Amino acid sequence: MPTGRVCFRVALGSSFRQRGNTVLLFKMQFMLLFSRQGKLRLQKWYVPLSDKEKKKITRELVQTVLARKPKMCSFLEWRDLKVVYKRYASLYFCCAIEDQDNELITLEIIHRYVELLDKYFGSVCELDIIFNFEKAYFILDEFLLGGEAQETSKKNVLKAIEQADLLQENIDFQMRLFAGCQRSRDTAQRTGGNWTDINVVHIIIHLPHTSFICQLLYVADNNSNSPLSTLNFTVTHTQLCLCFLPVF
Amino acid sequence: MSDVVEKTLTALPSLLSLDSQPGSTKLSSTSKLGTLIRGITELTSKHEEEKLIQRELTSIKEQVSSPNTSMRQMKELMVRAIYCEMLGYEAAFSYIHAIKLAQQGTALEKRVGYLAVSLFLNESHELLLLLVNTVLKDLQSTNLIEVCMALTVVSQIFPKDMIPAILPLVEEKLNHPKEIIRRKAVLALYKFYLIAPNQVQHIHNKFRKALCDKDPGVMTASLHIYLQMIQENPEGYKDLTASFVTIMKQVVGGKLPMDFNYHSVPAPWLQIQLLRILSLLGKNDQSTSEIMYEVLDESLRRAEMNHNITYAILYECVKCIYTIHPKSELLEKAAKCIGNFVLSPKINLKYLGLKALTYVVQQDPKLALQHQMTIIECLDHPDLIIKRETLELLFRITNAQNVTVIVEKMLEFLRINKDDYTTIDLVGKVAELAEKYP
């Protein structure tokens, strides 16, 4: 502990906390996710700091949070920051905010982020975040821009991510089409042929974890029972509808 | 449905060999990132981990510098580089490739490129200037997703000197038909306002338009800017008080679309922003405060449910009520609220209650007396944080009678405390008390 005279001067200087009635902005300084063994899973910094400082802060903070017992307060005062943390299964979510802020609201921001991850990954677990951490970052960026929580509905956040995901799902697949007769009256009307001889293939594909489906209507030659052809195509952010009806 | 159709439909996924699991975990078993991560978790010592990562980094370095790497492979390499940086190992060679990836890649590759840039670089990095061109191009693209990505990266990290180059493009996005773009444009302008306020002076009327935007998301985004501007100059915005009060009434009354609800509380973060703005506007100003009393009363009443978020809103309400020109009924209700917090068994609420008391006690010392038994209990609470907060509170209600007791308690705390910052803080307080009451 420093000698009396020195720390007296320091205390009256900068670190003496003011508790006035000032209203400061909510500004998150950084967010860290780490496991119970102290392994970092995600880090997002909203203030400019050198790499060395970041590493130091991470190391110290991880140790401090891991040392907390389960029944303790979710809020820590650490250096001149307030740290809000919560543990979800095996992951600690840790946010540092400026001293004056409403800590409960930060706790709820963490919770909202977890809810978003849960909805996106479907019952999220630590492994999902580890192996798909860039997606966790995308969701975080959509929700917290520059350290401020955007009050967008959960639906909007996830929709934005899904749309971008869809862009990259270049699906190459092959399908075997089996000929058959389609007794669909309206299809016959549309294609204008003899409806007992028409073979129609209508395929629906639902892209994983998105709300987009693809459809394709393919009218084949009639009267062959072997696999007709293999369709190779790449689907990129289009909304064609495919619906498969195998028939006799 | 006939069973043939059923059989076909069940066989369809395997026919098409599509992975139907959510979260696209199909990458994990074959990707190089997966192998790397698994490799690390199997190792036992830090030294071995270092060796493995260095090997990985050298291999990444070779691959990124080779001219034959496709953008798709580059994306994968970037993800691994981000992972290594996260673990603390430097991968500075990959920064320039991240920018290249953002420039040349398509959709997801661009996205990973931008992500890598926002994680690797900081505001004063010299490579940041190279990003400006890419961002300019993407902002003018017809593909909305690219525009979104560009706006996101602009809001996170952008060199101050290049703001004039990009400002007109961002401004015109404020009128875009899609609300997500308008919202991101507002946030980008907010960021510009934070780092270079004089550049953004001329578009204040556009912010007003954003405030009245029909989409609640855009309106919320504009509140960030308003909060900042009002903090610097409350007088200039008193005329907007009525609009803020109207918005607050609508939110509390449940007029927003359902999906802004968070656990059946309508738009809590929006409410809190509004409460902060209102408290800034109403401070020391009776006429403005009078406009707000009704809506504050309403929010206090509505937030009765038992969830963390309602407590957060209540806390903010209480703070607001004590900041603006006082009104006795509201003060009473707020005092009761604080009482509930302090007496609550939930430890987080106790903390918040104590914190609220420290605000309140200067204006209303009777309240602290009312709860003094609880406060004394908190002094001996096993959690150090609560203890500190209690000491903070006691510091404010020190008078000539109880000063010795309080200082003794503080000294006792100092003996068990190990954190340097809190020690300095407390010692400063003790010193001040010593000066005041010799």
mmCIF file of all heavy atoms in Angstrom, chain B residues 137-162:
data_model
loop_
_atom_site.group_PDB
_atom_site.id
_atom_site.type_symbol
_atom_site.label_atom_id
_atom_site.label_comp_id
_atom_site.label_asym_id
_atom_site.label_seq_id
_atom_site.Cartn_x
_atom_site.Cartn_y
_atom_site.Cartn_z
ATOM 1 N N LYS B 137 -17.097 2.540 -52.181
ATOM 2 C CA LYS B 137 -17.670 1.746 -53.270
ATOM 3 C C LYS B 137 -18.900 0.978 -52.797
ATOM 4 O O LYS B 137 -19.938 0.966 -53.453
ATOM 5 C CB LYS B 137 -16.605 0.773 -53.789
ATOM 6 C CG LYS B 137 -16.812 0.341 -55.220
ATOM 7 C CD LYS B 137 -15.654 -0.471 -55.706
ATOM 8 C CE LYS B 137 -15.696 -1.778 -54.997
ATOM 9 N NZ LYS B 137 -15.305 -2.956 -55.649
ATOM 10 N N ASP B 138 -18.778 0.375 -51.624
ATOM 11 C CA ASP B 138 -19.890 -0.439 -51.141
ATOM 12 C C ASP B 138 -21.109 0.394 -50.812
ATOM 13 O O ASP B 138 -22.242 -0.068 -50.931
ATOM 14 C CB ASP B 138 -19.468 -1.245 -49.907
ATOM 15 C CG ASP B 138 -18.683 -2.471 -50.298
ATOM 16 O OD1 ASP B 138 -18.918 -2.966 -51.408
ATOM 17 O OD2 ASP B 138 -17.853 -2.923 -49.507
ATOM 18 N N LEU B 139 -20.873 1.629 -50.360
ATOM 19 C CA LEU B 139 -22.022 2.453 -50.031
ATOM 20 C C LEU B 139 -22.844 2.770 -51.270
ATOM 21 O O LEU B 139 -24.032 3.036 -51.191
ATOM 22 C CB LEU B 139 -21.572 3.773 -49.393
ATOM 23 C CG LEU B 139 -21.328 3.728 -47.896
ATOM 24 C CD1 LEU B 139 -20.910 5.084 -47.399
ATOM 25 C CD2 LEU B 139 -22.581 3.299 -47.169
ATOM 26 N N GLN B 140 -22.183 2.776 -52.423
ATOM 27 C CA GLN B 140 -22.918 3.099 -53.635
ATOM 28 C C GLN B 140 -23.438 1.856 -54.342
ATOM 29 O O GLN B 140 -24.060 1.953 -55.380
ATOM 30 C CB GLN B 140 -22.013 3.869 -54.600
ATOM 31 C CG GLN B 140 -21.635 5.204 -54.036
ATOM 32 C CD GLN B 140 -20.489 5.812 -54.804
ATOM 33 O OE1 GLN B 140 -19.622 5.121 -55.320
ATOM 34 N NE2 GLN B 140 -20.512 7.117 -54.905
ATOM 35 N N SER B 141 -23.182 0.713 -53.766
ATOM 36 C CA SER B 141 -23.592 -0.517 -54.440
ATOM 37 C C SER B 141 -25.105 -0.667 -54.429
ATOM 38 O O SER B 141 -25.799 -0.121 -53.577
ATOM 39 C CB SER B 141 -22.931 -1.699 -53.719
ATOM 40 O OG SER B 141 -23.757 -2.803 -53.732
ATOM 41 N N THR B 142 -25.629 -1.425 -55.406
ATOM 42 C CA THR B 142 -27.070 -1.628 -55.421
ATOM 43 C C THR B 142 -27.480 -2.774 -54.522
ATOM 44 O O THR B 142 -28.652 -2.977 -54.243
ATOM 45 C CB THR B 142 -27.557 -1.971 -56.844
ATOM 46 O OG1 THR B 142 -26.674 -2.972 -57.352
ATOM 47 C CG2 THR B 142 -27.519 -0.751 -57.721
ATOM 48 N N ASN B 143 -26.494 -3.538 -54.074
ATOM 49 C CA ASN B 143 -26.817 -4.657 -53.208
ATOM 50 C C ASN B 143 -26.953 -4.144 -51.783
ATOM 51 O O ASN B 143 -26.001 -3.655 -51.187
ATOM 52 C CB ASN B 143 -25.684 -5.681 -53.294
ATOM 53 C CG ASN B 143 -25.989 -6.933 -52.513
ATOM 54 O OD1 ASN B 143 -26.839 -6.944 -51.638
ATOM 55 N ND2 ASN B 143 -25.300 -7.992 -52.838
ATOM 56 N N LEU B 144 -28.153 -4.260 -51.227
ATOM 57 C CA LEU B 144 -28.415 -3.665 -49.920
ATOM 58 C C LEU B 144 -27.556 -4.252 -48.824
ATOM 59 O O LEU B 144 -27.171 -3.567 -47.877
ATOM 60 C CB LEU B 144 -29.886 -3.846 -49.547
ATOM 61 C CG LEU B 144 -30.850 -3.029 -50.384
ATOM 62 C CD1 LEU B 144 -32.249 -3.211 -49.861
ATOM 63 C CD2 LEU B 144 -30.475 -1.570 -50.345
ATOM 64 N N ILE B 145 -27.257 -5.530 -48.935
ATOM 65 C CA ILE B 145 -26.468 -6.152 -47.870
ATOM 66 C C ILE B 145 -25.088 -5.509 -47.814
ATOM 67 O O ILE B 145 -24.533 -5.289 -46.741
ATOM 68 C CB ILE B 145 -26.342 -7.665 -48.126
ATOM 69 C CG1 ILE B 145 -27.706 -8.286 -48.290
ATOM 70 C CG2 ILE B 145 -25.564 -8.321 -47.019
ATOM 71 C CD1 ILE B 145 -28.367 -8.708 -47.046
ATOM 72 N N GLU B 146 -24.530 -5.204 -48.987
ATOM 73 C CA GLU B 146 -23.210 -4.573 -48.982
ATOM 74 C C GLU B 146 -23.272 -3.190 -48.365
ATOM 75 O O GLU B 146 -22.372 -2.781 -47.623
ATOM 76 C CB GLU B 146 -22.659 -4.499 -50.402
ATOM 77 C CG GLU B 146 -22.291 -5.868 -50.942
ATOM 78 C CD GLU B 146 -21.713 -5.820 -52.337
ATOM 79 O OE1 GLU B 146 -21.498 -4.702 -52.844
ATOM 80 O OE2 GLU B 146 -21.500 -6.890 -52.896
ATOM 81 N N VAL B 147 -24.342 -2.467 -48.665
ATOM 82 C CA VAL B 147 -24.490 -1.140 -48.068
ATOM 83 C C VAL B 147 -24.546 -1.265 -46.548
ATOM 84 O O VAL B 147 -23.907 -0.511 -45.815
ATOM 85 C CB VAL B 147 -25.760 -0.449 -48.599
ATOM 86 C CG1 VAL B 147 -25.952 0.877 -47.927
ATOM 87 C CG2 VAL B 147 -25.681 -0.288 -50.083
ATOM 88 N N CYS B 148 -25.313 -2.256 -46.079
ATOM 89 C CA CYS B 148 -25.420 -2.467 -44.627
ATOM 90 C C CYS B 148 -24.061 -2.744 -44.018
ATOM 91 O O CYS B 148 -23.713 -2.204 -42.970
ATOM 92 C CB CYS B 148 -26.322 -3.658 -44.325
ATOM 93 S SG CYS B 148 -28.041 -3.284 -44.414
ATOM 94 N N MET B 149 -23.300 -3.602 -44.671
ATOM 95 C CA MET B 149 -21.994 -3.948 -44.118
ATOM 96 C C MET B 149 -21.097 -2.731 -44.061
ATOM 97 O O MET B 149 -20.383 -2.511 -43.078
ATOM 98 C CB MET B 149 -21.320 -5.018 -44.981
ATOM 99 C CG MET B 149 -21.900 -6.383 -44.804
ATOM 100 S SD MET B 149 -20.814 -7.610 -45.503
ATOM 101 C CE MET B 149 -21.631 -7.910 -47.034
ATOM 102 N N ALA B 150 -21.137 -1.937 -45.133
ATOM 103 C CA ALA B 150 -20.291 -0.743 -45.150
ATOM 104 C C ALA B 150 -20.685 0.199 -44.028
ATOM 105 O O ALA B 150 -19.832 0.733 -43.309
ATOM 106 C CB ALA B 150 -20.404 -0.043 -46.503
ATOM 107 N N LEU B 151 -21.987 0.406 -43.847
ATOM 108 C CA LEU B 151 -22.432 1.314 -42.783
ATOM 109 C C LEU B 151 -22.051 0.783 -41.411
ATOM 110 O O LEU B 151 -21.693 1.547 -40.517
ATOM 111 C CB LEU B 151 -23.947 1.526 -42.862
ATOM 112 C CG LEU B 151 -24.402 2.458 -43.977
ATOM 113 C CD1 LEU B 151 -25.905 2.426 -44.105
ATOM 114 C CD2 LEU B 151 -23.943 3.872 -43.695
ATOM 115 N N THR B 152 -22.142 -0.537 -41.238
ATOM 116 C CA THR B 152 -21.765 -1.107 -39.940
ATOM 117 C C THR B 152 -20.301 -0.830 -39.641
ATOM 118 O O THR B 152 -19.945 -0.423 -38.543
ATOM 119 C CB THR B 152 -21.992 -2.632 -39.935
ATOM 120 O OG1 THR B 152 -23.293 -2.901 -40.394
ATOM 121 C CG2 THR B 152 -21.808 -3.199 -38.554
ATOM 122 N N VAL B 153 -19.448 -1.045 -40.627
ATOM 123 C CA VAL B 153 -18.024 -0.865 -40.342
ATOM 124 C C VAL B 153 -17.701 0.616 -40.127
ATOM 125 O O VAL B 153 -16.845 0.965 -39.321
ATOM 126 C CB VAL B 153 -17.175 -1.512 -41.460
ATOM 127 C CG1 VAL B 153 -16.663 -0.486 -42.419
ATOM 128 C CG2 VAL B 153 -16.064 -2.309 -40.887
ATOM 129 N N VAL B 154 -18.440 1.499 -40.834
ATOM 130 C CA VAL B 154 -18.222 2.932 -40.638
ATOM 131 C C VAL B 154 -18.574 3.336 -39.219
ATOM 132 O O VAL B 154 -17.898 4.150 -38.595
ATOM 133 C CB VAL B 154 -19.066 3.734 -41.658
ATOM 134 C CG1 VAL B 154 -19.245 5.148 -41.208
ATOM 135 C CG2 VAL B 154 -18.416 3.697 -43.005
ATOM 136 N N SER B 155 -19.655 2.738 -38.674
ATOM 137 C CA SER B 155 -20.037 3.099 -37.307
ATOM 138 C C SER B 155 -19.051 2.588 -36.291
ATOM 139 O O SER B 155 -19.059 3.020 -35.150
ATOM 140 C CB SER B 155 -21.399 2.519 -36.942
ATOM 141 O OG SER B 155 -22.265 2.590 -37.999
ATOM 142 N N GLN B 156 -18.251 1.610 -36.680
ATOM 143 C CA GLN B 156 -17.360 1.065 -35.668
ATOM 144 C C GLN B 156 -15.983 1.693 -35.717
ATOM 145 O O GLN B 156 -15.371 1.922 -34.694
ATOM 146 C CB GLN B 156 -17.201 -0.435 -35.872
ATOM 147 C CG GLN B 156 -18.463 -1.161 -35.556
ATOM 148 C CD GLN B 156 -18.350 -2.600 -35.918
ATOM 149 O OE1 GLN B 156 -17.586 -2.970 -36.788
ATOM 150 N NE2 GLN B 156 -19.111 -3.413 -35.243
ATOM 151 N N ILE B 157 -15.498 1.916 -36.919
ATOM 152 C CA ILE B 157 -14.100 2.335 -36.987
ATOM 153 C C ILE B 157 -13.906 3.101 -38.278
ATOM 154 O O ILE B 157 -14.117 2.579 -39.351
ATOM 155 C CB ILE B 157 -13.203 1.072 -36.903
ATOM 156 C CG1 ILE B 157 -11.762 1.437 -37.077
ATOM 157 C CG2 ILE B 157 -13.576 0.051 -37.942
ATOM 158 C CD1 ILE B 157 -10.850 0.269 -36.834
ATOM 159 N N PHE B 158 -13.531 4.369 -38.147
ATOM 160 C CA PHE B 158 -13.357 5.152 -39.354
ATOM 161 C C PHE B 158 -12.411 6.296 -39.060
ATOM 162 O O PHE B 158 -12.504 6.931 -38.021
ATOM 163 C CB PHE B 158 -14.715 5.687 -39.815
ATOM 164 C CG PHE B 158 -14.706 6.096 -41.251
ATOM 165 C CD1 PHE B 158 -14.679 5.135 -42.244
ATOM 166 C CD2 PHE B 158 -14.705 7.423 -41.612
ATOM 167 C CE1 PHE B 158 -14.654 5.499 -43.577
ATOM 168 C CE2 PHE B 158 -14.673 7.791 -42.948
ATOM 169 C CZ PHE B 158 -14.655 6.834 -43.930
ATOM 170 N N PRO B 159 -11.478 6.586 -39.981
ATOM 171 C CA PRO B 159 -10.518 7.659 -39.705
ATOM 172 C C PRO B 159 -11.201 9.023 -39.758
ATOM 173 O O PRO B 159 -11.991 9.311 -40.657
ATOM 174 C CB PRO B 159 -9.488 7.516 -40.832
ATOM 175 C CG PRO B 159 -10.167 6.786 -41.894
ATOM 176 C CD PRO B 159 -11.220 5.933 -41.267
ATOM 177 N N LYS B 160 -10.850 9.854 -38.797
ATOM 178 C CA LYS B 160 -11.538 11.131 -38.635
ATOM 179 C C LYS B 160 -11.372 12.024 -39.850
ATOM 180 O O LYS B 160 -12.292 12.733 -40.250
ATOM 181 C CB LYS B 160 -10.934 11.813 -37.402
ATOM 182 C CG LYS B 160 -11.723 12.962 -36.891
ATOM 183 C CD LYS B 160 -11.373 13.202 -35.443
ATOM 184 C CE LYS B 160 -10.413 14.346 -35.330
ATOM 185 N NZ LYS B 160 -10.269 14.814 -33.959
ATOM 186 N N ASP B 161 -10.186 11.988 -40.457
ATOM 187 C CA ASP B 161 -9.932 12.952 -41.529
ATOM 188 C C ASP B 161 -10.700 12.655 -42.786
ATOM 189 O O ASP B 161 -10.813 13.495 -43.663
ATOM 190 C CB ASP B 161 -8.433 12.954 -41.877
ATOM 191 C CG ASP B 161 -7.606 12.827 -40.625
ATOM 192 O OD1 ASP B 161 -7.887 13.595 -39.688
ATOM 193 O OD2 ASP B 161 -6.726 11.960 -40.596
ATOM 194 N N MET B 162 -11.177 11.443 -42.926
ATOM 195 C CA MET B 162 -11.855 11.103 -44.169
ATOM 196 C C MET B 162 -13.356 11.292 -44.068
ATOM 197 O O MET B 162 -14.091 10.927 -44.976
ATOM 198 C CB MET B 162 -11.565 9.646 -44.550
ATOM 199 C CG MET B 162 -10.109 9.366 -44.743
ATOM 200 S SD MET B 162 -9.368 10.432 -45.972
ATOM 201 C CE MET B 162 -10.154 9.863 -47.433
#
